[in-house]
Amino acid sequence: MRSTVFMPKGAPLPKISATKEYGAEVRLHGQVVDETLHAAQDYAHETGAVFIHPFDHPDIIAGQGTVGLEILDQCPEVRTIVVGIGGGGLAAGVAVAVKALRPDVRIVGVQAAGAAAFPPSLAAGRPLSVRNPATMADGIKVGRPGDVPFRIVADLVDEVRTVTEDELSAALLLCLERAKLVVEPAGASPVAALLSDPRGFEGPVVALLSGGNVDPLLLNRILRHGMSAQGRYLAVTLRLTDRPGALATLLGVLSVVDANVLDVSHVRTDPRLGLTEAEVELHLETKGPVHCAEVGHALRDAGYTVID
């Protein structure tokens, strides 16, 4: 049976490649899922193909709800389930399955702050659209909740929270470094919610990690962003007197405070600089927020002008 899969133009390459290897034809349309859906629906209308919605259909929701049954089977003592929300299908399915068997279990949905259509929609009592949703978490980058899952989420999901891009990066880094799990930003959103408010969830807590499709280049940027958010990566720009040995002296200061230099950019000719000035941008590996502060203090104490 032939299948044609529509994805946004920014879909991760591993997702595209894997889908093609399974035998599907992949078509890239639009920048966000909402635009992609319109293209897929037009294609189905023109060709007579059967359109399968990714989240806004009872059968899809029921299928995704089997994850809730697995959670109850494998962790019967669970008190809170945290799940990422894009269009709402997965959260709705989990809520239907879990609440039917364990109405005492709390279901918490998580959206990226830059693509959070559910909070205003729930407040208004109907699905609303978010213009130009923006987040690294492409798996939940949906501008409007689905009609079917929205009604279920409104009835059965106890709370919907939002997380920032910094929190998503830190969560992905934690999953990779501590849990040895490669998780895409959308899949790491429940962990981001837990990290942002560790005392805000009754345990035992199950965080549903849905999605491992992440481009290696994006993963590299996200990890650097996550390390920066945790104070383990520091980019600093400063000015110094342009004379022989000045850069070596600067690196000596950093060596004393045990900051590992990853990259150095040394600019000596720029209209913004004085005749005797040079600008240096340093990328440093640090050990946390306290260490970052120590590095900053050491540079200023040594007489350097820290620009950024």
Side-chain angles (χ1 to χ4, degrees), residues 14 71 105 130 152 161 243 256 271 280 302 304:
I71 292 173
V105 173
V130 172
I152 298 172
R161 298 188 176 207
R243 63 172 183 269
V256 171
V280 177
Y304 295 104

Side-chain angles (χ1 to χ4, degrees), residues 172-286:
L172 190 148
L173 178 61
L174 178 74
C175 288
L176 183 65
E177 188 175 44
R178 298 290 297 276
K180 315 305 178 191
L181 294 170
V182 178
V183 184
E184 65 180 87
S189 58
V191 178
L194 294 173
L195 290 176
S196 66
D197 185 16
R199 299 180 182 273
F201 303 87
E202 181 183 359
V205 180
V206 171
L208 181 50
L209 309 183
S210 176
N213 297 297
V214 57
D215 185 273
L217 295 177
L218 175 62
L219 179 61
N220 183 44
R221 295 200 300 270
I222 292 172
L223 291 179
R224 177 176 288 189
H225 193 78
M227 291 179 68
S228 178
Q230 290 187 352
R232 295 170 53 190
Y233 178 89
L234 178 65
V236 59
T237 302
L238 51 83
R239 289 183 183 174
L240 45 74
T241 302
D242 187 15
R243 63 172 183 269
L247 184 58
T249 302
L250 169 62
L251 297 179
V253 173
L254 296 172
S255 176
V256 171
V257 291
D258 203 22
N260 187 30
V261 179
L262 302 176
D263 189 37
V264 178
S265 175
H266 190 197
V267 179
R268 302 176 66 189
T269 55
D270 190 296
R272 298 175 296 115
L273 300 175
L275 291 176
T276 61
E277 285 185 321
E279 189 170 279
V280 177
E281 181 179 339
L282 299 161
H283 291 195
L284 309 172
E285 184 179 11
T286 48

Side-chain angles (χ1 to χ4, degrees), residues 57-224:
H57 193 284
D59 292 345
I60 300 299
I61 293 171
Q64 292 180 315
T66 60
V67 178
L69 300 180
E70 292 181 24
I71 292 173
L72 294 181
D73 181 57
Q74 298 177 26
C75 186
E77 69 275 18
V78 64
R79 298 294 300 170
T80 305
I81 297 175
V82 189
V83 55
I85 295 185
L90 179 62
V94 170
V96 167
V98 172
K99 291 291 188 178
L101 299 173
R102 288 280 305 281
D104 60 302
V105 173
R106 185 171 176 81
I107 309 294
V108 178
V110 182
Q111 289 208 290
F118 263 94
S121 297
L122 291 171
R126 58 186 175 86
L128 300 177
S129 297
V130 172
R131 289 187 177 182
N132 302 319
T135 175
M136 71 176 77
D138 69 287
I140 54 175
K141 187 181 176 181
V142 179
R144 183 185 184 278
D147 293 327
V148 178
F150 174 77
R151 293 192 296 269
I152 298 172
V153 169
D155 290 340
L156 298 180
V157 172
D158 297 281
E159 181 185 3
V160 175
R161 298 188 176 207
T162 62
V163 292
T164 66
E165 300 298 284
D166 282 350
E167 290 164 344
L168 286 169
S169 298
L172 190 148
L173 178 61
L174 178 74
C175 288
L176 183 65
E177 188 175 44
R178 298 290 297 276
K180 315 305 178 191
L181 294 170
V182 178
V183 184
E184 65 180 87
S189 58
V191 178
L194 294 173
L195 290 176
S196 66
D197 185 16
R199 299 180 182 273
F201 303 87
E202 181 183 359
V205 180
V206 171
L208 181 50
L209 309 183
S210 176
N213 297 297
V214 57
D215 185 273
L217 295 177
L218 175 62
L219 179 61
N220 183 44
R221 295 200 300 270
I222 292 172
L223 291 179
R224 177 176 288 189

Side-chain angles (χ1 to χ4, degrees), residues 37-50:
L37 286 172
H38 288 306
Q41 289 167 329
D42 290 342
Y43 175 84
H45 179 73
E46 294 167 2
T47 63
V50 176

